[in-house]
Amino acid sequence: MRVLAAMSGGVDSAVAAARAAEAGHDVTGIHLALSRNPKSYRSGARGCCTIEDSNDARRAADVIGIPFYVWDMSDEFHEAVVEDFMDEYAAGRTPNPCLRCNEKIKFAAVLERGLALGFDAVATGHYAQLRTGDDGLIEMHRAIDHGKDQSYVLGVLTQEQLAHSLFPLGDSVKDDVRLEAERRGLMVAHKPDSHDICFIADGDNAGWLREKLGDRAPNQGGDIVDQATGEVLGQHQGTTAYTIGQRRGLRIGRPAPDGKPRFVLDIEPVSGTVTVGPREALRIDRISGIRARWCGTVPDLLEGTVQLRAHGAEHRARVRTSHSADAGQGEADLVEIELLDPAEGIAPGQAAVIYDGTRVVGSATISATARSEALL
């Protein structure tokens, strides 16, 4: 096949490109320039897609012996990922920009352009496995290396996108990938993994949001309120600095009567109210989801598991889907999840990725959470 290898400048994507070429595919390496500032530079492991990373990707492509190009997708990235991130936080939700990037950029915009140019598939360094099911559909499963498994952030991919995707590292463990990179002479063999949000250089999400939102911020401050008593415990400088389940940085100054720590339970961006309370009040066992994305056939009812954070635990769950007035034939965009294993600190805006065993069924954006009487 003619394959586009998305090369971030890290070890995983470099080895994935090398494996695709070694398998006999006609491989072309591409690096996505996602920053609107061409002089963007950041050393070390925080983030990705900088000039430093572009140079690392180019050197890896030279070693592998494949053509290499840089694609400027900064406008698409800013609109689909950065603006979405700001809008979600301004509305009091907690988004995952990596899922949105995979959905809108890496496996939508890139794949669309690649298919138009005559390529057959996009290969990435994600840790996930693809298999053909008994029904002939492409299934996505968890990676062999569960510690590096990235199927959660790929849960937004559709059957059409999976049919044009390659994940060469899905059957490998990370330590072996680094050793392979070293054997291949790739300079990125021991480059630290990227982490945090790629477009926030210093990891200070709250500070970045204050600067970027400016007048778009829903409020410039408000009350921190105790859930049980309604008492105002303190003031804050903006709801975008908080997320459900947060414990640190509340700066209340007064301990709870029982001496236990308080956690953020709710965020109301219009009034600026941040509600806090005990940890047990974070427990939920009901989730409503919208904007569902399905990797294959849409299930009406499924008993499986859901993962609610990128590196979170699996929760046994019962999942039901329903159709809204806007849903097309064969689509379901409303999801109700009953958690048989309750979860804590789950915020609207996060993704609930649904599994049947190791197979990814699909995902939904969490719109609301609740507690049944059994948890009250």
Side-chain angles (χ1 to χ4, degrees), residues 89-239:
Y89 260 102
R93 296 186 288 266
T94 304
N96 186 314
C98 293
L99 273 86
R100 197 66 62 236
C101 183
N102 284 332
E103 176 187 351
K104 299 293 187 180
I105 305 299
K106 294 179 181 176
F107 293 94
V110 170
L111 184 57
E112 180 181 356
R113 184 184 295 187
L115 293 175
L117 291 173
F119 288 91
D120 303 300
V122 172
T124 73
H126 287 100
Y127 285 78
Q129 297 186 87
L130 296 179
R131 306 173 189 168
T132 301
D134 294 336
D135 56 4
L137 296 179
I138 304 299
E139 298 178 351
M140 179 166 55
H141 289 257
R142 290 191 182 276
I144 293 295
D145 187 343
H146 281 200
K148 290 298 296 181
D149 173 61
Q150 292 173 294
S151 59
Y152 175 86
V153 295
L154 298 172
V156 292
L157 301 187
T158 65
Q159 180 64 202
E160 182 179 0
Q161 291 168 331
L162 291 174
H164 295 284
S165 300
L166 294 175
F167 304 128
L169 306 187
D171 60 353
S172 301
V173 298
K174 183 59 178 266
D175 289 345
D176 291 342
V177 170
R178 289 197 181 279
L179 290 174
E180 180 179 337
E182 193 170 20
R183 290 196 303 270
R184 291 181 181 274
L186 298 170
M187 294 178 63
V188 292
H190 299 289
K191 183 177 179 178
D193 290 339
S194 61
H195 59 88
D196 293 332
I197 298 172
C198 68
F199 52 85
I200 301 180
D202 58 4
D204 180 8
N205 295 6
W208 186 90
L209 284 164
R210 281 196 301 271
E211 176 188 348
K212 297 298 182 181
L213 282 175
D215 293 338
R216 292 175 53 194
N219 54 73
Q220 300 300 320
D223 296 334
I224 299 177
V225 176
D226 182 82
Q227 178 207 35
T229 66
E231 179 186 2
V232 176
L233 302 175
Q235 303 292 313
H236 64 82
Q237 299 303 309
T239 56

Side-chain angles (χ1 to χ4, degrees), residues 220-295:
Q220 300 300 320
D223 296 334
I224 299 177
V225 176
D226 182 82
Q227 178 207 35
T229 66
E231 179 186 2
V232 176
L233 302 175
Q235 303 292 313
H236 64 82
Q237 299 303 309
T239 56
T240 54
Y242 300 90
T243 188
I244 304 296
Q246 180 176 332
R247 173 186 174 185
R248 299 184 183 278
L250 300 183
R251 298 188 179 92
I252 295 173
R254 280 183 288 164
D258 59 7
K260 295 181 179 179
R262 295 183 178 95
F263 297 80
V264 175
L265 305 180
D266 186 56
I267 300 166
E268 214 302 299
V270 176
S271 67
T273 302
V274 174
T275 302
V276 299
R279 179 169 184 168
E280 53 265 27
L282 287 170
R283 299 185 76 214
I284 57 100
D285 60 359
R286 298 291 188 273
I287 292 174
S288 297
I290 57 174
R291 286 165 45 180
R293 303 268 297 183
W294 303 104
C295 299

